[in-house]
Amino acid sequence: MMLQKSKVDLDNNNRARLALIDPRQLTRMSLLALLTAASPGTRRLSDFTIMPYANPNEFVSDYLERPWSVGMIVLNIGAASVCEDDIHNAILRLRHELPDIPIVILSDDDELCNVLTAFRNGVRGYILSSFDPPKVIQALRLVVSGGTFIPDSTLEEIAEKTAGLFKEDSHDYAPIGAAVFDSFTPRQMEVLQLLREGKSNKFIAYELGMKECTVKTHVRKIMSKLKATNRTHAVFLLSQMTNEKN
């Protein structure tokens, strides 16, 4: 895990100031209570002073009107995806207006493509809502101290997919059964055809009138049915089956 230098801004009690952004009042207040509660097994308060906001615009406006010291921004997106326009634009605006403040995403979604998209957009941490509270607090401590937090499951999936690249050279792939091919939905078949032509997710989304995130979901399900390690592997398996049918 790579550490990056970051300035830690503290309040008068030596606690990092954290801007918590969540449009849902219930989860926002629940996280506020969690992060300001006494640390497990101790009587001291949490490391963080929480400033809750309903949306990024509210936070940015408040900050620009009366700047205050903030060490980190936590954006809780719930079941939404970082690929959705409003989430994507929120991250970009925060990065543009406050480039020196690390951003952490709190999400229900552990899809590899979405986690990687978040980091490509400049976030410094991606925390899953399935984590237990002590792990969430440890992850936030890591980011506010200058680190980058990536879920273990993401690192394991990257390692598996990377290992799969080395298997391609052997071309030792099991043939696809007809039942697998027949299990694809009509929409997946449309995606398959464009996938075989080497089209990008963005092109497929445009061609079929879908969101790019929806295309990624179809591609992921296709690869799962084919037991493919990556897109290249999937196309190879499909070509192999077509040749066998001919």
Side-chain angles (χ1 to χ4, degrees), residues 6-7 9 17-19 59 63 68-74 91 94-104 122-124 143-144:
S6 173
K7 179 181 177 182
D9 296 309
R17 293 182 185 271
L18 184 156
F59 164 63
Y63 182 86
W68 45 276
S69 135
V70 56
M72 179 168 50
I73 300 169
V74 175
I91 296 172
L94 290 170
R95 290 283 297 150
H96 175 73
E97 299 284 359
L98 309 165
D100 297 327
I101 302 177
I103 301 172
V104 172
V123 308
R124 289 276 297 282
V143 174
V144 84

Side-chain angles (χ1 to χ4, degrees), residues 82-83 110-118 120 157 216-217:
V82 293
C83 297
D110 64 352
E111 289 291 332
L112 178 60
C113 64
N114 293 332
V115 178
L116 296 180
T117 295
R120 281 196 295 268
E157 189 170 356
K216 290 179 180 179
T217 299

Side-chain angles (χ1 to χ4, degrees), residues 24-236:
R24 300 156 301 174
Q25 185 174 3
L26 179 61
T27 54
R28 184 169 69 249
M29 292 300 101
S30 297
L31 285 169
L32 176 63
L34 167 68
L35 296 174
T36 56
S39 300
T42 73
R43 293 186 178 181
R44 68 181 179 84
L45 290 177
S46 165
D47 297 344
F48 308 106
T49 294
I50 312 298
M51 307 293 288
Y53 292 91
N55 58 69
N57 292 333
E58 180 185 357
F59 164 63
V60 171
S61 297
D62 184 38
Y63 182 86
L64 295 179
E65 181 179 345
R66 52 181 186 87
W68 45 276
S69 135
V70 56
M72 179 168 50
I73 300 169
V74 175
L75 181 59
N76 184 17
I77 65 174
S81 164
V82 293
C83 297
E84 295 178 16
D85 289 343
D86 55 340
I87 303 297
H88 175 76
N89 292 335
I91 296 172
L92 292 186
R93 186 182 182 197
L94 290 170
R95 290 283 297 150
H96 175 73
E97 299 284 359
L98 309 165
D100 297 327
I101 302 177
I103 301 172
V104 172
I105 297 295
L106 180 59
S107 173
D108 301 344
D109 182 12
D110 64 352
E111 289 291 332
L112 178 60
C113 64
N114 293 332
V115 178
L116 296 180
T117 295
F119 282 101
R120 281 196 295 268
N121 288 340
V123 308
R124 289 276 297 282
Y126 195 100
I127 300 175
L128 300 177
S129 58
S130 58
F131 288 174
D132 56 31
K135 188 169 183 178
V136 172
I137 292 173
Q138 288 174 1
L140 294 176
R141 286 173 180 164
L142 174 64
V143 174
V144 84
S145 66
T148 298
F149 182 82
I150 304 173
D152 292 342
S153 58
T154 299
L155 295 175
E156 291 171 0
E157 189 170 356
I158 290 173
E160 290 175 2
K161 291 183 180 298
T162 302
L165 294 175
F166 296 101
K167 296 178 182 178
E168 288 186 18
D169 293 336
S170 67
H171 298 291
D172 185 19
Y173 304 130
I176 309 171
V180 174
F181 197 82
D182 293 338
S183 71
F184 293 126
T185 66
R187 203 56 162 165
Q188 287 172 352
M189 290 297 295
E190 292 178 333
V191 174
L192 267 173
Q193 181 57 43
L194 295 173
L195 193 64
R196 290 181 59 188
E197 295 174 9
K199 304 302 184 183
S200 66
N201 288 343
K202 183 175 294 187
F203 180 91
I204 295 174
Y206 175 79
E207 189 73 10
L208 300 181
M210 296 187 292
K211 290 186 176 180
E212 190 172 351
C213 286
T214 304
V215 174
K216 290 179 180 179
T217 299
H218 282 308
V219 171
R220 176 179 57 80
K221 291 180 178 179
I222 289 169
M223 290 175 58
S224 177
K225 289 181 179 181
L226 294 174
K227 294 183 172 55
T229 56
N230 50 52
R231 292 167 69 102
T232 304
H233 187 186
V235 172
F236 175 84

